[in-house]
Every structure is written in C-alpha cells, then in structure tokens.
Amino acid sequence: MVSQLNGRSVISIDDLSVSDIEAIFKTADDICTNPHDYFGKAAGKIAATLFYEPSTRTRLSFEAAMQRLGGGVISTWDVNASSVAKGESLADTIRVVGSYSDIVVLRHPWEGAAKLAAEYSPVPVINAGDGSHEHPTQTLCDLYTLREHHLTLRGLRVALCGDLLNGRTIHSLAFALARFGANVIFVPGDGKEIPDYVRRRLERDYHAHIRREQLGVLSALFGDAPSGEEPATVDAIYVTPSEPHQLAMSSIEGTTVEFRVGSGEALSIYVTRRQRERGGDSPEAARYPTLTARALKTSQFKDISILHPLPRVDELSPEVDKDPRSLYFRQAALGVPIRMALLWHILGLGDGGQSNRREAYCRNVQGLGYSQPGIDCSNKTCITNKEKEFVHPQFEVVRNGDYKLRCLYCDQETATACFGNTESRIYYPSELLDRVLPPISPGHLRFFQSPDAAEAAGYRRVADSWDRYHPEPGKGRKSWLDLVSGRSR
Ligand code: NCD
C-alpha cells in the first residue's frame, strides 16, 4: 500500500493527520525492534540538510537517519560559505538544492520560510524550524517520548514552560497535544507568554477551551518565595478538549497512538530555554521557570516525566540528569528512529517503485482564503516581507472582535483598517463590514491597512451618513464572515 505521506512536504504539524502520525510511530516502533530490515533501503537517495541556523540534534539526527537507511547526505557546513553570503534568495537556493537531492530538510530564521521552500522545491521539504513559528519533527519526537513513557496522551497534563513566545517547539507541540486530547498548561517566563495567534489557532482550529488558573504545584518551578511574600504564582492556561468535535479530530479512533490506559492525573513538565537569538530582551533576572533537584522533591511530582527539546542553558539543572523521571536524552535519541520513519514514508521506501513522487504543497485552510494584493503581513520577519519578489502574501480572514488577516506563511494576524467594494470603488471602516447590506461578496472585497492605502488605490470613503441608515445588526444577525462562508452563528 502506498504511504499517505509519499512525496509530501511537512511544514506544519497540521500537515500530518492523526493517521499519518500513527503510521510514523508504527514504523519507528518497527525500526527500533528490527533495525536491520531498514538498513540500505534508501540506497541511491540523497537528503540535503540546509540549515541557516545552528543545530546539533535536528541536523545530525536527520543525517544519521538517512545514513542508517543507506542514503547519502549533502549539507552546507555553514550557509555563509555558500551563495547565500552573496545575497542569493531562498527561492533560488531551494530550487538548486532540490535538483541535487530527493528531499530537503530546512531550518531558517524567518517564519514561513519552509512554506515558501516547499512551493519552489522540486522535491519534498521538511521544516526543521522556521523562526519562532513551528518545528513539527521535534513534536514527533516529543509525542513519541510521551507515548512511550505515559502510554497515553489523552488526559495527560503537559506543562509547557519557559519562552512560550518564541519557542517554535512549544507552538507545534501545543497544537498536537490539543489534537490528541491532552491538557496543556502554559507556564511562561516573565514577558514570554504564548502569542495570541497561537492561542487563537488553538481555539479556532482545535476548538480548545482556554481558561486562566493559578499555578498551584507548578509554582515550585519558580523557587521559594521570599518570606513574608505570597508564593510565586502566575496564571496558567488549560486547554481542555472536551467537545465531541475535538474528540473526532483526536486519535481516539486510532491504533498505535491510541492510549491504552487512562492517564488520570499524570503530569509531564516540558522545559525550554530563553530564545535569546529571537529578541530575548527580558532581563535575565526576570522570573523564569527552572527545574532543579529541589523543585523535584515536591511530593506531587513523584510520577512526572521531564522533557526538554535541548539545548539547555540554565533552566534545567544537570543535577536532575540522573533522575529516572528525566527523559530528555532519551527524547533526543528517539529523534533517529522517528526521523528514519518519516524519511521512510516521505521517500516511499516501503512502496516499491513509487518513490519519486512530489506533491505540490498546499496549506489547508478551513475558513475563507484571501490573497488580494495591497496587504503586507504585520510580522517583519515573515518570509513574505523578506522575499517579496518570490512570494505573495496569502491569508485567511478571521474575526476576533474585528476583522483580521491570518498569514498562511507565519500564522500571525494583520489588522485591517478598512475594506472596499471593487465594484463601487467605495471603502468603509472595517467595523462596518458586518453592517453592509446586502453582504459584500468575497470576490468583490478588498482589505486595506489604512484609509490612505484605500485612497491611493482609487477608492472613495463612504459618506458619513451611511452609519445612520444602517444601524447595528440585530441580535439574530450573523457576521459577514459567517454569512459569506455559510456558517451558523
Ligand atoms: C530547538 C529548536 O531549535 O527550536 N532545538 C531542537 O531542535 N532540538 C529548541 C531550542 O533551540 O531551544
């Protein structure tokens, strides 16, 4: 049977369905049990590792995985020693590197770079981290480690700690955990809260319930409060997937990731370092969750597991390494069978003769897409702002109080100040969109980031009196987005 993953790129954790993840885990299980059955199977194939940022585990475990499968690896030791130093674009580099190899593993400092690469590459691309956005293959290692230890993800509580703002491993893992029915507790360092766009994606795409709670036992991660002061507490956020829809998206129907026993109150603590290279501007003295042997003495931590994507700096004390609850070196080691399994499926190595497929990359959009010119993504380090000649912004229209455009490259949201009707060439303030009667069709709608931009494009502002004749919509009225996308309220 041809693998569902044959020829596909993996850019976001959302590119992998529950059954894809189960297939990868099943193959990784088999690789661990029968490694010799896999040796040599990728003979004649080449993986290119193209890393524009430092890496130890991700690059070397991909390279080890490819070599264990019998394939070859080409790599730039230092991209600054390649034509990148001469100003070559990613779009050009990827077309060339893709023509030398059967698969490209890419790490890049700009959000959305992996999606652009997948659109230009002649071979599948695996995202090994794009800026502060996503790191889907680290998530596979994390889930596989949790599954091995706790047997189930459903009902497991996972405390994601540290730099939640910039930590790409955190973002991909939060989405996957919500999908698999785990409860996520966000434990940020000061100023390193989970970004709004991640929270909203959790709510919108995963129908997760987010509520604020006291830290409780997890306040042990912040050390002892000085005497006389309240013990350190910060708000924690729970994602509680309790909707029937949520269950349908999760792996309950599945097999291997299927969770053999209920995990009750099981807890895993996932620690991460400050991402200093991504504007880690908060002072070092700011409170930051740190795991020490002393914190681990808490009796409620008796049965926890401790994960870390590594590298660690000072948020995880080496004195914890020998503790049987520490799984992070195991987690790093499992990167090889997991990445062997991923390469096995994408390269179609089990599919005999079908191994040179490449599927065009297309990001799944559940809602209303928008790709008219005139709007720039608000994220300055989004690839759409860096390689403008090669990539045009693509968005999804979202409504969070007012209308915003979610970038399909980096997921961050851009505010829209006004919108225009391409037929009448009239523009309106954004908040009127729900009150334009009859609703303007998506094909005739143009968003603008400012009235000046609308006027520069030749649109006239709606008369001020418009407001008086079209009062607030009545209670039962749907929003414009619901009306045009045929959704109920
Ligand atoms: C992570 C990364 O690069 O995002 N490392 C990894 O891939 N194991 C985490 C980090 O660098 O902090």
Side-chain angles (χ1 to χ4, degrees):
M1 198 182 74
V2 177
S3 169
Q4 296 285 316
L5 280 161
N6 188 331
R8 276 170 45 194
S9 292
V10 178
I11 305 307
S12 161
I13 191 66
D14 286 355
D15 294 330
L16 298 171
S17 68
V18 166
S19 58
D20 292 333
I21 295 175
E22 283 169 349
I24 293 163
F25 287 1
K26 196 157 171 250
T27 305
D29 287 344
D30 196 47
I31 288 169
C32 292
T33 320
N34 306 302
H36 291 98
D37 292 354
Y38 292 82
F39 292 168
K41 292 290 176 2
K45 300 274 173 210
I46 292 178
T49 50
L50 190 55
F51 278 59
Y52 290 69
E53 281 190 338
S55 170
T56 302
R57 275 149 292 274
T58 308
R59 184 158 71 88
L60 294 183
S61 64
F62 261 115
E63 295 184 358
M66 191 62 181
Q67 294 193 27
R68 289 221 183 269
L69 290 168
V73 175
I74 54 173
S75 190
T76 44
W77 257 111
D78 169 8
V79 281
N80 291 321
S82 72
S83 290
V84 170
K86 301 178 190 166
E88 187 174 50
S89 67
L90 176 61
D92 283 357
T93 305
I94 199 80
R95 279 178 282 194
V96 173
V97 174
S99 72
Y100 300 156
S101 58
D102 299 283
I103 190 161
V104 180
V105 183
L106 173 76
R107 171 169 289 186
H108 200 283
W110 296 336
E111 294 82 27
K115 175 164 149 63
L116 172 141
E119 288 162 354
Y120 276 93
S121 171
V123 296
V125 172
I126 300 179
N127 182 6
D130 60 329
S132 61
H133 185 218
E134 283 215 45
H135 192 346
T137 70
Q138 180 63 45
T139 295
L140 292 176
C141 304
D142 303 339
L143 294 179
Y144 193 61
T145 310
L146 288 170
R147 164 189 177 265
E148 181 182 76
H149 186 81
H150 293 280
L151 304 178
T152 172
L153 296 181
R154 184 155 170 67
L156 178 68
R157 291 174 307 153
V158 184
L160 301 180
C161 308
D163 190 345
L164 312 187
L165 180 65
N166 299 301
R168 54 195 173 198
T169 68
I170 296 275
H171 304 159
S172 296
L173 182 55
F175 300 135
L177 289 171
R179 185 139 53 114
F180 283 116
N183 288 326
V184 179
I185 308 163
F186 293 127
V187 187
D190 281 349
K192 301 294 175 197
E193 282 79 17
I194 197 85
D196 281 350
Y197 77 88
V198 173
R199 289 177 56 126
R200 285 201 280 269
R201 196 169 140 192
L202 284 165
E203 290 171 320
R204 202 168 36 224
D205 294 352
Y206 297 96
H207 301 266
H209 298 284
I210 299 183
R211 60 176 200 266
R212 299 192 75 84
E213 298 253 337
Q214 291 298 302
L215 255 189
V217 65
L218 290 167
S219 55
L221 300 176
F222 291 94
D224 293 334
S227 60
E229 276 184 29
E230 288 290 303
T233 56
V234 293
D235 285 333
I237 303 170
Y238 284 78
V239 178
T240 314
S242 54
E243 301 267 307
H245 165 89
Q246 186 70 15
L247 297 182
M249 278 176 74
S250 80
S251 63
I252 314 306
E253 89 277 354
T255 49
T256 21
V257 192
E258 189 220 327
F259 308 119
R260 281 165 275 178
V261 288
S263 64
E265 289 294 282
L267 174 66
S268 180
I269 300 186
Y270 187 99
V271 195
T272 60
R273 72 179 172 96
R274 287 184 177 87
Q275 304 283 304
R276 291 198 175 92
E277 69 275 36
R278 291 183 222 295
D281 44 8
S282 63
E284 295 305 281
R287 285 191 319 161
Y288 197 86
T290 302
L291 202 49
T292 58
R294 188 180 160 83
L296 278 174
K297 292 212 172 87
T298 310
S299 64
Q300 278 140 301
F301 284 171
K302 196 160 69 63
D303 298 321
I304 64 165
S305 63
I306 304 162
L307 275 76
H308 193 309
L310 301 176
R312 69 170 149 200
V313 185
D314 50 11
E315 66 290 336
L316 174 61
S317 164
E319 56 186 351
V320 174
D321 294 355
K322 288 209 177 69
D323 191 302
R325 291 168 285 186
S326 296
L327 304 184
Y328 32 91
F329 289 114
R330 172 83 184 144
Q331 181 188 359
L334 288 173
V336 175
I338 277 291
R339 291 180 169 115
M340 282 173 81
L342 185 64
L343 292 168
W344 176 266
H345 284 277
I346 294 179
L347 291 172
L349 301 180
D351 300 339
Q354 309 243 12
S355 51
N356 273 328
R357 294 181 64 228
R358 185 230 172 231
E359 267 188 30
Y361 181 73
C362 180
R363 169 120 192 233
N364 260 339
V365 186
Q366 295 180 20
L368 184 68
Y370 182 84
S371 56
Q372 302 286 345
I375 298 266
D376 291 330
C377 176
S378 58
N379 171 17
K380 296 281 166 279
T381 52
C382 175
I383 192 77
T384 58
N385 287 318
K386 297 289 190 179
E387 297 211 349
K388 282 180 183 270
E389 318 90 300
F390 294 100
V391 61
H392 300 297
Q394 297 165 21
F395 301 99
E396 180 188 352
V397 182
V398 294
R399 191 167 176 272
N400 300 311
D402 50 2
Y403 283 93
K404 299 212 169 66
L405 296 174
R406 185 223 313 205
C407 175
L408 296 188
Y409 285 84
C410 73
D411 275 306
Q412 300 203 25
E413 292 170 1
T414 298
T416 61
C418 40
F419 66 96
N421 183 333
T422 55
E423 284 189 317
S424 65
R425 311 291 286 179
I426 291 179
Y427 78 89
Y428 309 75
S430 224
E431 65 271 15
L432 293 188
L433 188 50
D434 288 343
R435 292 158 59 189
V436 176
L437 301 171
I440 185 168
S441 95
H444 294 139
L445 183 106
R446 211 31 94 77
F447 283 108
F448 298 101
Q449 275 162 307
S450 66
D452 285 352
E455 289 185 17
Y459 285 70
R460 249 178 330 109
R461 192 186 156 88
V462 67
D464 284 343
S465 56
W466 195 91
D467 224 11
R468 263 185 277 133
Y469 298 112
H470 299 281
E472 291 286 340
K475 258 220 144 83
R477 184 176 158 140
K478 292 175 177 179
S479 72
W480 171 81
L481 187 58
D482 287 343
L483 277 171
V484 297
S485 52
R487 282 191 306 219
S488 59
R489 235 169 176 249

